[in-house]
Amino acid sequence: MTSQPAAAPAGGAATPSTRPVIPAAERGATVIPEKVVARIVVRAAQEALAKHAVPSPGSMKLAAPHASVTVGGGTARLGLTLDLPYPIDLASTAQQVQHYVSERVGQLTGMRVTEVTVDIEHLVPSGGLEHRRVQ
């Protein structure tokens, strides 16, 4: 006579010990490098300039924006350097870019943006960079 193996008791006692499930927010942290945030800032600045009817950098020979970022404790401080066409309302354009970049970076990274500094490096005449004499 052969004996049959004993069936596992009902209720799943045959499974290994289970650990309590830890909520997702307490399991770890997502770290976004400053270099990646800087690329997001540049892209957001390009979107903001396109949205506010500034001609494309290619048609105006404007340099691409440059960004510097400091990240820490879930917050980000952003620095942005731009070339803008001339004539343009500098204060209004800078304020619109600051607001848009702050909102967009916050949406995409989940970080709280505490500061956006905009430096206007060059004003490019609407006719391009050719040299002209004053008449």
Side-chain angles (χ1 to χ4, degrees):
M1 285 190 14
T2 59
S3 64
Q4 297 289 333
T15 61
S17 65
T18 58
R19 288 180 268 162
V21 177
I22 299 172
E26 297 176 11
R27 287 186 212 152
T30 301
V31 177
I32 303 173
E34 289 180 354
K35 184 176 180 179
V36 174
V37 177
R39 290 186 70 161
I40 293 170
V41 170
V42 167
R43 181 60 180 250
Q46 290 169 335
E47 291 173 6
L49 292 172
K51 184 177 179 179
H52 297 295
V54 173
S56 67
S59 68
M60 290 285 302
K61 297 193 175 49
L62 299 175
H66 296 280
S68 61
V69 176
T70 304
V71 174
T75 63
R77 294 177 61 196
L78 314 176
L80 190 58
T81 303
L82 304 171
D83 284 1
L84 293 176
Y86 179 81
I88 194 170
D89 182 357
L90 298 176
S92 173
T93 302
Q95 185 178 27
Q96 291 170 351
V97 169
Q98 281 178 315
H99 180 71
Y100 185 85
V101 168
S102 176
E103 293 295 318
R104 190 76 173 131
V105 170
Q107 290 171 350
L108 294 173
T109 64
M111 294 179 185
R112 186 172 58 89
V113 177
T114 59
E115 178 181 348
V116 179
T117 304
V118 174
D119 291 324
I120 300 169
E121 190 166 3
H122 296 108
L123 293 176
V124 180
S126 58
L129 288 174
E130 67 270 357
H131 298 284
R132 296 183 181 184
R133 294 185 69 190
V134 178
Q135 296 180 6

